[in-house]
Amino acid sequence: MAAGRPPGETRLRRRSEFLVVAAKGRKSAMPGVVVQALAVPDQAGVRLGFTCSRKVGNAVARNRARRRLREAARAVLPPSLAGWDLVLIGRPATVERTFADLVSDLSAAVKRLGVT
């Protein structure tokens, strides 16, 4: 487990895992982030995936957007959360929004999807 990660959190890494969440899950779009969520009842922890398309900007902007989404997820998601696959998709506004607005976007999207 990497340093700074909550217990029980793993990452979605394969394209096929992202596609399953997109096809079977629900999504909520906010100005700073799009969240896709799929309930997985037998799963012990939460699995997170982060992605940004080239619409966000160059490689530096996409990496910055992903870093900001990771930190917002740490701030919003409770450590005891289990049984979910979540994909956080960066938008062009992800880089420009204040961190407080990004956190409120993520918490509103998660609440709308019924994750917490």
Side-chain angles (χ1 to χ4, degrees), residues 29-69:
M30 301 300 287
V33 65
V34 176
V35 179
Q36 296 175 336
L38 177 65
V40 185
D42 299 335
Q43 189 169 282
V46 63
R47 294 192 316 163
L48 295 174
F50 302 93
T51 187
C52 293
S53 73
R54 285 189 287 175
K55 290 179 185 177
V56 173
N58 62 9
V60 174
R62 291 192 306 269
N63 286 329
R64 182 167 188 226
R66 280 192 295 269
R67 284 194 307 270
R68 295 186 85 210
L69 289 176

Side-chain angles (χ1 to χ4, degrees), residues 37-106:
L38 177 65
V40 185
D42 299 335
Q43 189 169 282
V46 63
R47 294 192 316 163
L48 295 174
F50 302 93
T51 187
C52 293
S53 73
R54 285 189 287 175
K55 290 179 185 177
V56 173
N58 62 9
V60 174
R62 291 192 306 269
N63 286 329
R64 182 167 188 226
R66 280 192 295 269
R67 284 194 307 270
R68 295 186 85 210
L69 289 176
R70 277 195 295 270
E71 286 304 314
R74 281 189 188 107
V76 170
L77 300 176
S80 61
L81 185 64
W84 289 94
D85 284 348
L86 299 173
V87 175
L88 280 64
I89 303 170
R91 302 182 97 177
T94 304
V95 179
E96 301 162 359
R97 288 178 75 77
T98 65
F99 189 71
D101 288 342
L102 189 61
V103 166
S104 67
D105 286 348
L106 181 58

